[in-house]
Amino acid sequence: MGRAPSLGVIPTYRRRMDAPRLPTSPSFWRSPLRGPRFTSVLGLVLLVGITVLFVTGLLSYAAYNPDLSPVNDKTPNKGLLGFYLFAWPTDPHWLYRLTQGVHVTLGITLIPVLLAKLWSVIPRLFALPPARSLAHALERISLLLLVGGGLFEFVTGALNVQLDYVFPGSFYPLHFYGAWVFFAAFLAHAVLKTPAALRNVRRMRGGQPASSEGELVSPDPAPPTVSRRGALWFVGGGSALLFATTVGQDFDGLRRTALLAPHGGADPASGPNGFQINKTAAYAGIDPAETGAEAWRLVVTGRTGTVRLSRADLARLPLHSSALPIACVEGWSTSDQWWRGVRLRDLAALVGEGDDPPDLFVESLQRHGAFRRAALRANQVADPRSLLALYVNGEDLSPDHGHPARVIVPAAPGVLNTKWVARLTFGDL
């Protein structure tokens, strides 16, 4: 006769055998960290952060002056989505440096918060039935757009910052249209959830139980290994680390700390031309034979005709200096550099456009690339700091910085400060 098995083992064995193994079961998600309080804190951080991201993204798009000329417009079918566009100002001269620096740095910083928020609500994505009513079905659809749109925007933005263009099309329309889809879903979600999130945070401060406690709390939680407060500190620490290793690309003195930014680290060279660049002359396909003193001529066209100027001719015209930064869509920027050259409005006067300078169409020797041509508004042309620069920091432009001549305009995105300029055409665009 064998000894009978202990009856106390049977219930435990059965619980393990009967334990739900599908994500559609609430008991599948056992983390004790999930709950409305944890989710509410993350949601309120994203409410502020994503709103700032959206606004600075719209400003970045406006800075390209896309309704000025088709060459500036990388989203030609935007329709009503361009309702807010306005003539981008030239003051303050660091405006684009600020707005785009905030956009990129904040976007990178919010990645841990976004991932933690998605993790905290993932049980809802698998909840059954998929739709209990028409209103519930619409909420689930908006949630899918919110999650999918958020991941798409953050992934494409991070890849673009890293200069990793792996998209099945142009980054500009993909990111632009994706932002509108994502923010529409985000706004609908915020309207529905923000009041409850605020109530949960207030109750948390008062030591009261959160509302709707059962919606996210596991019915069979695992033993805790960290508190919810500790988890929030962990997420915040991740964001702080990303901020510290990204923000330096906006400041020359901190550039070596920008470990996650492609334009972090040391300057590419020393001397007056030793500051950051985006594309080298070799990358842009600039032939040195075309930029030599004997070969290169600037063609300027306007109301009274066309003039051709060598670099020596330009150097004999009245020269002026401007202290302006270079700021790029990828978020990096330089401090103010001292540029010296001929004012754009003075070049306009050479071809009969002196009284009220019109818009300007700029063409580069660069033969390939989205911004080998660019358009500038009349207010940008008229600004006395806008130059066709021949020198920087007291020295001739280097080939990588646009020799023999480049455009430099206050508050304009770096790609509109065209390098290796070949032709200027003044006239209404």
Side-chain angles (χ1 to χ4, degrees), residues 46-67:
L46 289 175
L47 176 64
V48 175
I50 288 177
T51 300
V52 173
L53 279 182
F54 186 68
V55 172
T56 52
L58 293 184
L59 291 175
S60 176
Y61 182 62
Y64 282 76
N65 289 319
D67 58 342

Side-chain angles (χ1 to χ4, degrees), residues 1-207:
M1 297 293 291
R3 185 177 179 182
S6 172
L7 295 178
V9 176
I10 296 176
T12 302
Y13 174 77
R14 285 179 177 171
R15 279 199 299 270
R16 285 199 298 267
M17 290 295 293
D18 296 339
R21 299 179 182 275
L22 296 176
T24 53
S25 171
S27 298
F28 179 87
W29 309 97
R30 300 192 61 204
S31 173
L33 296 180
R34 288 191 180 92
R37 292 177 176 176
F38 185 72
T39 299
S40 296
V41 172
L42 297 174
L44 291 175
V45 172
L46 289 175
L47 176 64
V48 175
I50 288 177
T51 300
V52 173
L53 279 182
F54 186 68
V55 172
T56 52
L58 293 184
L59 291 175
S60 176
Y61 182 62
Y64 282 76
N65 289 319
D67 58 342
L68 172 63
S69 172
V71 299
N72 286 19
D73 192 356
K74 303 307 172 185
T75 54
N77 299 316
K78 61 186 176 298
L80 293 176
L81 297 182
F83 70 93
Y84 73 96
L85 294 173
F86 56 96
W88 188 251
T90 56
D91 280 309
H93 71 276
W94 40 259
L95 178 61
Y96 187 75
R97 185 185 186 192
L98 172 66
T99 58
Q100 193 61 16
V102 168
H103 182 75
V104 171
T105 304
L106 180 60
I108 297 296
T109 301
L110 286 178
I111 288 177
V113 184
L114 176 71
L115 294 179
K117 178 67 161 60
L118 294 178
W119 173 86
S120 73
V121 299
I122 196 171
R124 288 180 175 171
L125 299 179
F126 294 91
L128 293 176
R132 295 189 296 267
S133 64
L134 178 60
H136 184 246
L138 293 175
E139 181 182 350
R140 294 297 294 276
I141 292 173
S142 70
L143 187 61
L144 289 175
L145 292 174
L146 179 68
V147 173
L151 290 174
F152 178 82
E153 285 299 289
F154 276 82
V155 168
T156 55
L159 288 175
N160 184 66
V161 167
Q162 296 301 322
L163 307 179
D164 196 0
Y165 298 98
V166 296
F167 320 112
S170 172
F171 166 77
Y172 295 96
L174 289 173
H175 203 65
F176 178 78
Y177 294 129
W180 279 102
V181 171
F182 168 58
F183 194 74
F186 175 77
L187 187 61
H189 187 76
V191 170
L192 292 172
K193 300 299 183 181
T194 298
L198 291 172
R199 287 196 298 271
N200 286 333
V201 170
R202 284 196 295 268
R203 292 182 178 185
M204 181 171 60
R205 289 179 176 177

